């Protein structure tokens, strides 16, 4: 199993550009989520999904879109990048029903918006 | 509202000494609690969890955590710290409901000095 994979590892964008961060998992997990990590602020939930076709907003959803057309993939779209979106982004997945709930994290994408 | 607090930004300990990283929580219902570790430039790795049962939970790399319901705490411990334990540690609690959603604390940097 590859686990949770994320691409790209690094990205630099100019203000106003758009891009998609890719996330995929091969563990047949129902639950997938996107977090951003900023110094001193821990992990903040952006969007999450409990299954294909179902998404919901987390704590900091503004400026981001997601979709879940398959169980495996959960891309995060930045519509019009802003310097405030400079951060490290992590994708995670887990079972959502009564199994273990521990989340498996991808290696992260470091995004800089200039 | 459900929340997790890690009161210490940083914990310093000498190699070979015991370590404790503190976590308190606030949830409705029975808590599902987790500890994760993040090494530099890496994603988060699962360390251990408390779901039910024995209040002392053992996890990876010799870590353990003690669940204390009356004090609403879930402190991470290790009897003898290693320099290689130096990392960022996150406590998390599962949000009630069958989603798999977690709320993370701010994180505590553990520095183990030789």
């Amino acid at each position: 199993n590859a686990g949770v994979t994320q691409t790209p590892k690094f990205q630099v964008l100019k203000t106003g550009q758009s891009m998609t961060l890719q996330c995929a998992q091969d563990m047949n997990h129902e639950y997938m989520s996107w977090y951003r990590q900023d110094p001193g602020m821990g992990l903040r939930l952006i969007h999450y999904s409990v299954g294909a076709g179902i998404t919901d907003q987390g704590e900091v959803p503004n400026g981001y879109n997601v979709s879940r057309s398959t169980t495996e993939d959960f891309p995060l779209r930045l519509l019009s990048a802003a310097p405030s979106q400079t951060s490290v982004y992590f994708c995670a997945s887990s079972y959502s029903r009564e199994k273990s709930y521990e989340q498996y994290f991808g290696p992260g994408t470091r995004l800089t918006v200039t | 509202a459900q929340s997790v607090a890690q009161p210490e930004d940083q914990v310093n300990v000498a190699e070979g000494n015991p370590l404790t990283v503190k976590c308190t929580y606030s949830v409705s219902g029975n808590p599902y609690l987790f500890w994760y570790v993040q090494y530099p430039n890496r994603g988060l790795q699962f360390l251990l969890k408390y779901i039910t049962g024995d209040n002392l939970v053992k996890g990876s790399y010799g870590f353990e955590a003690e669940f204390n319901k009356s004090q609403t705490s879930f402190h991470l411990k290790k009897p003898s710290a290693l320099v290689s334990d130096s990392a960022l540690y996150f406590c998390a609690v599962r949000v009630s409901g069958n989603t798999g959603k977690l709320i993370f604390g701010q994180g505590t940097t553990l520095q183990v000095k030789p």
Side-chain angles (χ1 to χ4, degrees), chain A residues 31 35 37 40-43 45 48 50 57 90 94-103 105-107 110, chain B residues 32 34 36 38 41-46 49 51 88 90 94 97-107:
Chain A
Y31 179 84
Y35 296 91
Q37 184 179 24
M41 303 193 76
L43 288 159
L45 183 64
Y48 66 98
V50 298
Q57 296 182 350
F90 289 101
S94 73
Y95 294 111
S96 62
R97 283 184 284 279
E98 202 66 46
K99 284 194 182 178
S100 55
Y101 294 114
E102 59 251 36
Q103 293 192 5
F105 283 79
R110 190 174 292 273
Chain B
Y32 285 20
F34 302 83
Y36 286 82
Q38 185 182 31
N41 301 314
R42 304 288 293 276
L44 276 69
Q45 295 176 35
F46 168 75
K49 68 185 177 198
I51 305 296
L88 183 56
F90 289 97
R94 182 181 73 90
N98 247 354
T99 65
K101 192 173 166 185
L102 297 181
I103 295 174
F104 284 84
Q106 308 279 73

Side-chain angles (χ1 to χ4, degrees), chain B residues 2-92:
Chain B
Q2 292 163 313
S3 64
V4 175
Q6 294 180 241
E8 302 153 318
D9 289 336
Q10 181 154 328
V11 170
N12 298 310
V13 65
E15 189 173 31
N17 282 0
L19 70 87
T20 298
V21 182
K22 295 180 181 175
C23 172
T24 59
Y25 65 90
S26 172
V27 298
S28 52
N30 293 323
Y32 285 20
L33 296 156
F34 302 83
W35 276 102
Y36 286 82
V37 60
Q38 185 182 31
Y39 298 102
N41 301 314
R42 304 288 293 276
L44 276 69
Q45 295 176 35
F46 168 75
L47 269 182
L48 51 79
K49 68 185 177 198
Y50 172 83
I51 305 296
T52 186
D54 196 351
N55 289 345
L56 186 64
V57 180
K58 294 192 185 298
S60 307
Y61 312 123
F63 283 93
E64 56 192 28
E66 187 167 13
F67 171 66
N68 187 317
K69 189 171 183 177
S70 62
Q71 296 187 1
T72 62
S73 67
F74 189 55
H75 301 332
L76 182 70
K77 301 183 181 194
K78 187 172 183 182
S80 178
L82 299 172
V83 171
S84 56
D85 292 330
S86 298
L88 183 56
Y89 290 81
F90 289 97
C91 182

Side-chain angles (χ1 to χ4, degrees), chain A residues 21 33-39 41-47 59-64 76 78 82-91 105 109 111 113, chain B residues 90 104:
Chain A
L21 278 62
S33 56
W34 277 101
Y35 296 91
R36 58 178 290 173
Q37 184 179 24
D38 302 291
M41 303 193 76
L43 288 159
R44 292 184 292 169
L45 183 64
I46 304 171
H47 285 286
E59 188 184 352
V60 289
N62 292 344
Y64 308 94
L76 178 72
L78 278 70
S84 61
Q85 293 178 304
T86 293
S87 187
V88 182
Y89 291 84
F90 289 101
C91 179
F105 283 79
T109 295
L111 176 68
V113 183
Chain B
F90 289 97
F104 284 84

